[in-house]
Structure formats: structure tokens, C-alpha cells
């Protein structure tokens, strides 16, 4: 029997301990307790979230693999599938930004290639505290170089993502990493052991003492002892992973293995329990055979180490030699550490002694699911209605262009190799990345999106808007959504207010996914994003993948030709709550989140997609942070000739307030350009479908100009505006 | 005609390079495994981009000891064409098939972007399809591309017409801003005295199809193919 202190150190409650005793039929020894502690941690078991995650739509015709495997799989036709997932690495990235972020990339890559897919794209959703703080800058610098070092070295392009700044992320940055791979549908692999007597092979890097208890660490709030947790963070070796990637894909292509799983959170423990559990079997492992980097490691340390770049493989006994030869070609060890058994037990031997003997099913499937107490989350007020409209709207516009959340992110993405593998058609900076699929006319589009403040003000709306905005980003490049992954970053689930936010945000996401007929194929929940009792804004990040049938139809955000008409599809309301404008110009983070009508949202996308597929659209971009004004400015900045625009805000209504027309973040809007003739066709098509769409201006000149009732309200040269937008982030780093 | 692309552990532009020669230009192209002592009878050897051996020591420093490098040296010594792209250029410097060395980029960060480079010597087998002074739009992606050589070496390189490409503004003029990584004399690519070994930091294979935003890299790849 372990004392209270040991149980607390392992984050195991007295009730959970009693359950463990009854499930395994004896008092767990310390190693066994460590196994349950890791596998029943929030991070691995989803014990607080799974009752809600069940309501997400996970089935659709194109789903090959839904939640429960290393990654989700969607059929894209022609015998091909995409394999994709998003994961958080928030906690490690705060403790050690470079390694925390780097190993986040390493981990998500393994999740993808362990299923037989070659990773072809990475994206990151990053959130930091304001850049006027040196520590926040240093965290950002570390995270970006960590991502860059891992992704660039292994040769998978980082093609997009988002970077957002807010005070609430100062002590709790968010690092959510997305990866997508491409595979042939008939060459997928899964985590299974198949037949009794099969060999269990350990491949990749040696096991060290790094990352022990990483999964339990990610399931606690941080207190003032953050600094002492540093040894819990793993260290990444992208070169080793590159070798592992090529070797694994080689043994898979030759079909000389039966199952494979990566060792991520909870390390060897996770793979030696989950793989046999899926086949209803057990494994008998000799821990002395596990390649070790350090002397004198205990069974506890070997089983719970989160050393990176390791995989577990199951193969038939007659395949062992061939697998070992394939790994030797890449200078990697492949060591037989055990056998698949029929008794459903995880048995581990160490120096000839049986040190672990527990049922894998109990570890993997029987962690209790909690219905945690819920409280109605605090909601936004209607306060935004009373802010005074500033006399100098031009000044407000400039302030927004210089706000790091809106400003150009080149400082970040130039550090990422975003072109390797020669597929990238739309470079970072647009709302969605687009990659051609070699040997076909098709292309894949992908985007990450979320808005913490909207979700803070109204969790349900925040969940819906995250889905809607991601789909809108895809529509802007001409892609239809095909599948969803999500990363749900929240505070402490033991607090009823946080759990209430979670429940409503998930319900909002579910409703939106249903409205778009897309399934969620997996993802990740990151709770305990709190430091010293202060939670982050609840931040669901959606990763949505889209398909383009013909690469010739892909459009970008940049204005194309002088004289083109600018159309606003959708309408602008008096909605200022939760906007970047209210925050930057008025110093307020309140109000109500923008309203959203999912049927209207989808109708807007359909109009734009049909217009794009008809070849009528020259550019498309959606107003988000900073509203219509920032959206139009970005179209000018992205245009090759730096073309300006003149927009008459009278047509962008029905909002009363001019600041709302300029900077409001009303949903379901897309700004497109087309020739004069095609603009008429598009407006006509929209009118037939009852979707508001009107010509609001013209492309051309070297000014960005907005007028209302015949009077210019904002007027600034494209070059000057672009300079503010380009220099805002680099200036913070130059100043230090 | 057959092109060979060397696969070092950690190469990651190997398949992009094979794609460009084989699928885009339609020329037979084979991978050459670094552990073999066999060039498979190829007519040109390409050392591709990537992070050979992780580049943990110094870019290209370990790759020069790969078994196949013995054959590559002999191949080059016979005057046969060898092209090094990015990490491949770094390996050529480590092999001392080209003079000089690479320092970290001047901003001390990895840099991935399209750049303009000017064809300085159009009389080589790697540039013959371009005009002298022609500006090419080709991406770079590297951490260590800041070219350095001691003054006397630099003088010899310039005097011998060994500068193949320089970073420049889109109009071809030289400037500090367009010299993105801080290279001496804005050097983006070099050729050896004999004219058969060329190294450059930009990635022509990433600019060989319209769908990728530029086809200017084909001037280089097609020049080589035409010379075989």
C-alpha cells in the first residue's frame, strides 16, 4: 500500500487507487502505479473530456479512420488517403521553448508515419503573451526556432498556421502542431499485434531518463516550481527521426511487419499496452533488452521515459531478420524485446524478475470517465455598444495594422522551410495553405483556426466560429472541407466554470461540423492551461483539410488587376464585441462574440466556391481580425503590383457605425474580386440563392481608401500601410 | 543519358531533385546510395539539399566521409559534371572540390524565401541556357549560406570567372539588402577552375514548374542536361 504522498505525486486519487487494486487483483508496486499514473493521466486518458467528445460527429462517407488511432484518415479518391492530426505541446514549450516545440513537431510526425503515410505538411497554431515583454519574446523565439530546427531538418515543409498574442497566454503559451501525410489506401498500418508468438521489436533511439512523467506533467497546473520541472522535457533529434521515418516507411512498403506504434506520451508503457489491447492480447517484455542510453535505469524509468524517436513494431518471427536488416541500412537498432502473448497481461521482466504483471485492458480501457461538476460559464456583455467612435479612424486602422496578431508573420515563417517536397502552391501568409498532389490535378488545402476571446465571451459561439472560419479559409482558396481535427486548449477541468466552457464549446463545434457535413477524425485535449491559478482563454483550435479538384482553379488573397470589382459576399453588422479593434483601440476585451448563422455561413461559402470553380474569381480573402479594412489591406499587400483599392462602405452594411463597417468582425463574409462582367454574374448568382452580395469598390491606384456617405474616412498609401504591417513584429525583436 | 542523385542520411531534397530531372525534364535519373561504391554509370552527379548526418557538426562535414564520396572525387577529377545544391554545395566545400566555407546567415536565423540571383558567368555547362546578367527567381532555404573565403582566394575566384551566381535585386543590381545571408561579394554559386563542378545555395529544383511559382530553375537544370 502506497502512502498519500506517493499517490499525490502520481496524480492518482484514492478512488482511482482502489479501482486499480480491484482491476489488477493486487496492490500495485511502484512501477505498476507509475504505469497507471501515466496512462490514466488526463493527457492520455481524456477522463474529463470523453463524455463530451462523444457528441462530435465522427462518421462520414469519406472517413477511413476516426478517433482512437494515432491519427485520422480521410479518403480523397484515386486510391489515396490523407492522414492528419493536431497535438498540443503547451506545457513543455513553456518550460523549455526550443525543445518543447521541437519535440512537439517530432511527436506529431511519428503519429502520421506510424500509419504508413509520408508526412507532407506541418502547420502550427501558436499563442504567446504580448511582445513588449522580454520573456514572451524569448518564449516565442525559442518556440519558432524549435519548430524550424526540427521541421527543416527532417524535410517536411511548415506551410501555414496562426500566431496570436494576448496577455492570457503570457504564462501559458499554446503550441499546437498539425501534421498531414499522404498514403495509398491499401498500404495503411495500425497499432496491433495480431498473432500470439509474434515478435515485439524496439526501434529507433535509445532510452534515457528524459521526459519521465511528461504525461502527468501535462496534466497539472503550474505553480511557482515551474523551473524545477525542466528535466521532464524531452530532447529531440530530427536526424534520428528522419532515419526512423525512412526505415519505417521501407518496412511498411515491403509489408514485413504486422503492426506499429510510436512511443509518445508515456513512452514504452503506452505502446506495450495499447498495441496488444487492440488485438485482445498481451505482451511479455524483457526490460534488460531495451536499448538504454544511461546506466542503472530502473524498470520504472525504462517504462516511463519519454525519450524521443522510438517506435514499437510487431512482426512475425520469420520477419525479424528482414526488419533488422532494413533498420541496419539506416544505421538504426531493431531489438527484439518480447513476444505477443494470449493472456491479455503486460508482463515485464528485469534482471530475471517479474516486475510488472497487469491486464493491458485495465490500463487502456478502464480509466474512469468523469462527469465533472459544471457551472454556467461567465458570458460577455453588450458593453461594446457604448464605446465612442474615434474621430481618427485612420489612426485606428494604423494601430490595427501594427498589432502583432494582425501584422505580417514573415519573421516567423521565413524561419520555416515551407517549400521542401515541391508541392506548396500557396505560400504561408494566406488563410490556407495549398499543396498540389503530384501526378493528379487535385490539391489539398489546410488551415488552422481558433479564437480564444470569442470562446471566452461565448463558448458555444467560439466553437462554432472556429469551425466556420476554418471552412471559410478553405473556401477562399477554392477548397471544399473534407475532414477535421481539433486541439482543445482549456484551463483546469476540476473547476466547474472551465468544464462549463468546455462543454459548450464542444457542443458549438459539433453543431458547426454537422452544418458542414464534415467529420472529426481525432485530435487532442489540453487541460490545465493555468499558471498560478489564472486560466487562459478557452481556445479550441480547429485543423480542417480541404480538397481542390483542379489546381487551375486555386485563387489567392492578392488583388490581380486594375479596375477589377470588389464584392463583399455576406453582410456587416454592428458587431464589435471581442474584436481586435476593441482590444487595440479601446483597450477592452469584452462584449458579445459575433453572431453566427451556420446555414448562411455555408451558403456564402457555396456562392464563393461555385464562382471560383466557374473561373470568375481573381482573388478571395475573408475579413477576420481587424474586419473588412484589414482584409482589404491584406489583399493589397498580397497583390504582386501592390495594387490599392477604393471601397465605399455604404454598400457593406447594414451596420450603423462606421467603425463596425471598417473593423467589426461579423461572420460569414468573404471579399472577392472579379472583372466587371463576372462581378455581375456573381452578384446575380448570390441573389438567386438569397445571399447578400454587393459590389463595394474597385481595385487600383496606390491608396487604400475607404469612404462613407461620399466622404473618405480612411486613406493611406499602400506602401506606407504595408511597411507598418511588415515591420511590427521584427521591430519588437530589433528593439531588445 | 543518366543523372544520379546521391542519398546521404538526412538528405531531404533528394526526391525533389529526382522529381525535377525525371518527371519535369523527362531524363532518366537514379538515386545513388551513400554507402555504395557505385555511381551506376551516371553522366552527372547531383548532391542534393538537406541536413546530411543532421549537420550537427558543421554543414556537410560528415557527409564528405561517406563511402561514395571516393567515387565522386574521382568522377570530378575526370572532368565529369558534379552539381551541389544547398547542402550539396556545403558538401562540395567540405570535399574541397570548391574553395571557401559557409558561415551562419547574417541574421543568425534559418531563411526560406524566394530570392533574385544574377547569372555572372553564362559560359559554364550549368548556365549556358541563360544570358549573362539574367536575373533568376529561385528560392533559398538554409541556415549556413553566408559564403566566406580569405581575400587571396576570393581574388582568384573573381579573376578566374568562378562566380556563377550572385544575390541581387530584381533589376540585377547588387545591394546589401538583396545579399540576404551576408555572403562575401554576394556569392550565391561557384564553379571550379575546370568548369565541371558547380555549387549553389538556391534550389533550382524548387523553381522548375509554373505551379510552384517560378520556372527559372530550369535554366540551370536544362543547361546541365544539354551539356551531357
Amino acid at each position: 500500500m502506497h502512502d498519500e504522498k506517493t499517490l499525490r505525486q502520481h496524480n492518482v486519487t484514492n478512488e482511482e487507487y482502489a479501482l486499480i487494486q480491484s482491476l489488477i487483483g493486487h496492490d500495485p508496486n511502484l512501477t505498476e502505479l507509475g504505469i497507471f499514473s501515466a496512462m490514466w493521466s488526463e493527457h492520455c486518458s481524456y477522463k474529463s473530456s470523453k463524455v463530451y467528445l462523444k457528441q462530435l460527429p465522427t462518421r462520414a462517407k469519406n472517413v477511413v479512420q476516426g478517433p482512437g488511432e494515432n491519427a485520422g484518415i480521410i479518403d480523397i479518391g484515386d486510391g489515396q488517403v490523407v492522414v492528419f492530426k493536431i497535438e498540443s505541446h503547451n506545457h513543455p514549450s513553456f518550460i523549455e521553448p526550443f525543445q518543447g516545440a521541437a519535440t512537439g513537431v517530432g511527436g506529431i510526425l511519428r503519429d502520421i508515419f506510424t500509419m504508413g503515410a509520408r508526412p507532407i505538411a506541418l502547420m502550427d497554431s501558436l499563442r504567446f503573451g504580448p511582445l513588449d515583454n522580454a520573456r514572451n519574446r524569448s518564449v516565442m523565439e525559442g518556440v519558432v526556432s524549435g519548430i524550424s530546427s526540427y521541421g527543416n531538418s527532417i524535410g517536411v515543409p511548415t506551410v501555414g498556421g496562426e500566431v496570436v498574442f494576448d496577455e492570457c497566454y503570457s504564462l501559458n503559451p499554446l503550441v499546437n502542431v498539425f501534421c498531414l501525410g499522404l498514403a495509398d489506401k491499401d498500404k495503411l498500418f495500425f497499432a496491433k499485434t495480431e498473432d500470439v508468438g509474434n515478435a515485439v521489436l524496439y526501434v529507433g533511439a535509445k532510452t534515457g531518463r528524459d521526459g519521465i512523467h511528461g504525461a502527468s506533467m501535462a496534466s497539472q497546473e503550474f505553480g511557482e516550481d515551474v523551473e524545477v520541472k525542466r528535466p521532464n522535457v524531452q530532447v529531440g533529434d530530427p536526424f534520428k527521426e528522419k532515419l526512423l521515418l525512412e526505415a519505417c516507411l521501407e518496412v511498411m512498403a515491403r509489408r514485413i511487419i504486422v503492426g506499429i506504434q510510436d512511443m509518445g506520451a508515456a513512452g514504452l508503457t503506452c505502446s506495450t499496452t495499447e498495441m496488444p489491447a487492440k488485438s485482445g492480447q498481451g505482451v511479455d517484455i524483457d526490460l534488460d533488452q531495451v536499448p538504454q542510453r544511461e546506466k542503472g535505469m530502473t524498470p520504472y524509468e525504462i517504462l516511463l521515459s519519454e525519450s524521443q524517436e522510438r517506435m514499437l513494431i510487431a512482426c512475425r518471427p520469420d520477419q525479424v531478420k528482414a526488419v533488422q536488416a532494413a533498420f541496419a541500412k539506416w544505421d538504426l537498432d531493431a531489438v527484439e524485446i518480447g513476444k505477443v502473448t494470449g493472456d491479455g497481461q503486460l508482463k515485464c521482466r528485469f534482471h530475471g524478475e517479474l516486475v510488472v504483471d497487469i491486464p493491458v485492458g485495465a490500463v487502456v480501457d478502464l480509466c474512469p470517465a468523469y462527469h465533472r461538476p459544471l457551472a454556467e460559464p461567465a458570458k460577455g456583455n453588450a458593453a461594446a455598444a457604448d464605446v465612442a467612435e474615434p474621430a481618427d479612424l485612420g489612426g485606428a486602422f494604423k494601430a490595427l495594422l501594427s498589432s502583432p496578431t494582425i501584422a505580417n508573420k514573415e519573421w516567423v515563417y521565413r524561419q520555416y522551410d515551407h517549400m521542401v517536397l515541391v508541392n506548396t502552391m500557396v505560400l504561408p501568409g494566406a488563410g490556407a495553405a495549398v499543396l498540389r498532389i503530384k501526378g493528379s490535378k487535385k490539391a489539398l488545402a489546410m488551415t488552422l483556426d481558433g479564437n480564444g476571446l470569442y470562446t471566452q465571451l461565448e463558448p458555444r459561439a467560439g466553437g462554432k466560429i472556429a469551425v466556420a472560419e476554418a471552412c471559410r479559409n478553405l473556401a477562399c482558396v477554392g477548397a471544399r472541407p473534407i475532414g477535421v481535427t481539433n486541439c482543445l486548449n482549456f484551463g483546469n477541468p476540476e473547476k466547474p466554470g472551465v468544464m462549463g466552457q468546455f462543454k459548450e464549446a464542444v457542443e458549438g463545434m459539433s453543431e458547426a461540423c454537422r452544418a458542414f457535413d464534415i467529420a472529426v477524425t481525432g485530435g487532442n485535449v489540453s487541460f490545465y492551461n493555468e499558471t498560478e491559478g489564472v486560466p487562459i482563454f478557452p481556445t479550441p483550435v480547429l485543423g480542417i483539410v480541404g480538397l481542390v479538384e483542379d489546381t487551375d482553379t486555386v485563387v489567392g488573397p492578392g488583388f490581380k488587376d486594375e479596375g477589377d470589382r470588389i464584392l463583399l459576399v455576406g453582410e456587416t453588422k454592428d458587431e464589435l464585441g471581442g474584436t481586435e479593434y476593441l482590444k487595440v483601440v479601446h483597450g477592452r476585451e469584452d462584449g458579445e462574440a459575433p453572431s453566427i448563422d451556420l446555414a448562411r455561413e455555408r451558403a456564402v461559402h457555396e456562392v464563393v466556391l461555385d464562382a471560383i470553380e466557374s473561373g470568375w474569381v481573381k482573388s478571395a480573402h475573408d475579413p477576420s481580425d481587424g474586419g473588412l479594412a484589414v482584409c482589404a489591406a491584406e489583399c493589397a499587400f498580397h497583390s504582386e503590383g501592390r495594387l490599392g483599392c477604393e471601397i465605399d462602405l455604404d454598400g457593406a452594411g447594414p451596420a450603423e457605425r462606421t467603425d463596425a463597417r471598417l473593423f467589426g468582425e461579423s461572420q460569414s463574409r468573404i471579399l472577392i474580386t472579379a472583372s466587371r462582367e463576372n462581378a455581375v454574374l456573381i452578384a446575380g448568382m448570390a441573389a438567386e440563392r438569397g445571399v447578400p452580395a454587393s459590389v463595394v469598390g474597385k481595385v487600383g491606384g496606390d491608396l487604400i481608401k475607404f469612404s462613407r456617405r461620399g466622404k473618405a474616412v480612411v486613406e493611406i498609401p499602400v506602401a506606407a500601410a504595408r511597411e507598418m504591417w511588415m515591420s511590427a513584429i521584427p521591430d519588437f525583436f530589433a528593439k531588445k | 543519358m543518366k543523372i544520379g542523385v546521391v542519398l546521404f542520411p538526412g538528405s531531404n531534397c533528394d526526391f525533389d531533385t529526382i522529381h525535377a530531372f525525371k518527371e519535369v525534364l523527362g531524363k532518366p535519373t537514379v538515386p545513388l546510395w551513400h554507402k555504395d561504391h557505385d555511381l551506376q554509370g551516371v553522366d552527372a552527379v547531383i548532391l542534393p539539399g538537406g541536413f546530411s548526418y543532421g549537420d550537427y557538426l558543421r554543414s556537410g562535414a560528415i557527409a564528405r566521409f561517406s563511402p561514395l564520396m571516393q567515387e565522386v572525387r574521382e568522377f570530378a577529377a575526370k572532368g565529369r559534371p558534379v552539381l551541389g545544391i544547398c547542402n550539396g554545395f556545403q558538401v562540395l566545400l567540405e570535399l574541397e572540390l570548391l574553395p571557401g566555407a559557409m558561415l551562419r546567415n547574417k541574421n543568425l536565423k534559418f531563411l526560406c524565401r524566394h530570392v533574385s540571383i544574377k547569372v555572372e558567368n553564362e559560359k559554364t555547362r550549368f548556365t549556358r541556357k541563360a544570358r549573362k546578367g539574367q536575373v533568376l527567381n529561385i528560392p533559398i532555404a538554409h541556415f549556413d549560406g553566408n559564403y566566406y573565403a580569405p581575400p587571396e582566394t576570393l581574388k582568384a575566384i573573381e579573376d578566374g570567372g568562378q562566380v556563377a551566381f550572385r544575390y541581387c535585386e530584381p533589376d540585377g543590381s547588387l545591394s546589401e539588402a538583396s545579399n540576404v545571408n551576408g555572403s562575401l561579394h554576394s556569392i550565391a554559386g561557384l564553379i571550379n577552375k575546370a568548369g565541371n563542378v558547380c555549387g549553389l545555395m538556391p534550389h533550382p529544383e524548387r523553381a522548375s514548374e509554373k505551379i510552384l511559382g517560378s520556372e527559372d530553375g530550369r535554366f540551370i537544370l536544362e543547361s546541365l542536361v544539354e551539356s551531357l
Side-chain angles (χ1 to χ4, degrees), chain A residues 141 152-153 155 237-239 242-243 328-331 411 414-422 436 438, chain B residues 9-12 16 19 33 35 51 53-54 56 109-114 139 141 205-206 209 211-212:
Chain A
E141 197 145 32
N152 297 354
S153 174
D237 177 353
F239 173 57
K242 168 74 173 165
L243 303 180
K329 176 187 159 193
W330 293 97
D331 301 317
W411 185 91
R414 277 213 172 144
Q415 297 186 53
Y416 303 150
D417 188 339
H418 45 263
M419 301 185 226
V420 64
L421 302 185
V422 290
R436 59 106 174 254
K438 289 189 191 103
Chain B
S11 291
N12 63 30
D16 299 356
H19 171 81
W33 184 238
K35 283 185 192 172
F51 286 71
Y53 294 89
Y56 289 133
K109 295 206 183 310
F110 190 95
L111 208 46
C112 177
R113 54 174 289 193
H114 277 268
E205 81 281 9
R206 295 186 185 188
E209 293 169 84
I211 199 168
L212 302 175

Side-chain angles (χ1 to χ4, degrees), chain A residues 101-172:
Chain A
T103 54
V105 175
I108 196 72
L109 283 161
R110 285 194 297 282
D111 280 334
I112 302 307
F113 72 75
T114 193
M115 308 206 66
R118 178 171 285 276
I120 59 165
L122 289 163
M123 297 194 290
D124 310 282
S125 172
L126 309 178
R127 281 172 174 75
F128 304 107
L131 289 178
D132 52 11
N133 173 300
R135 178 163 192 173
N136 293 337
R137 286 197 300 272
S138 130
V139 170
M140 176 167 167
E141 197 145 32
V143 165
V144 171
S145 45
I147 291 169
S148 137
S149 106
Y150 210 104
N152 297 354
S153 174
I154 198 165
V156 178
T158 301
V159 295
E162 50 167 8
V163 191
V164 174
F165 301 89
D166 192 276
E167 188 55 53
C168 75
Y169 305 111
S170 265
L171 294 173
N172 215 306

Side-chain angles (χ1 to χ4, degrees), chain A residues 63-229:
Chain A
V63 175
V64 177
Q65 176 65 55
E69 269 286 342
N70 285 299
I73 306 176
I74 295 281
D75 196 327
I76 57 166
D78 301 328
Q80 286 184 306
V81 294
V82 286
V83 180
F84 59 96
K85 193 187 181 189
I86 189 167
E87 271 263 3
S88 66
H89 239 217
N90 305 335
H91 296 86
S93 301
F94 181 49
I95 300 173
E96 211 295 83
F98 182 95
Q99 290 297 348
T103 54
V105 175
I108 196 72
L109 283 161
R110 285 194 297 282
D111 280 334
I112 302 307
F113 72 75
T114 193
M115 308 206 66
R118 178 171 285 276
I120 59 165
L122 289 163
M123 297 194 290
D124 310 282
S125 172
L126 309 178
R127 281 172 174 75
F128 304 107
L131 289 178
D132 52 11
N133 173 300
R135 178 163 192 173
N136 293 337
R137 286 197 300 272
S138 130
V139 170
M140 176 167 167
E141 197 145 32
V143 165
V144 171
S145 45
I147 291 169
S148 137
S149 106
Y150 210 104
N152 297 354
S153 174
I154 198 165
V156 178
T158 301
V159 295
E162 50 167 8
V163 191
V164 174
F165 301 89
D166 192 276
E167 188 55 53
C168 75
Y169 305 111
S170 265
L171 294 173
N172 215 306
L174 301 186
V175 176
N176 293 179
V177 193
F178 168 99
C179 184
L180 177 140
L182 191 60
D184 290 338
K185 192 176 177 181
D186 59 356
K187 288 183 186 138
L188 291 165
F189 274 84
F190 297 92
K192 57 181 184 179
T193 48
E194 227 155 60
D195 296 317
V196 171
N198 276 346
V200 176
L201 265 61
Y202 170 114
V203 301
K206 293 184 185 355
T207 298
R209 287 194 171 93
D210 47 341
I212 290 171
H213 271 327
S216 342
M217 173 186 75
S219 306
Q220 285 167 21
E221 287 179 42
F222 285 142
E224 285 170 0
D225 60 345
V226 161
E227 305 292 338
V228 305
K229 303 226 182 232

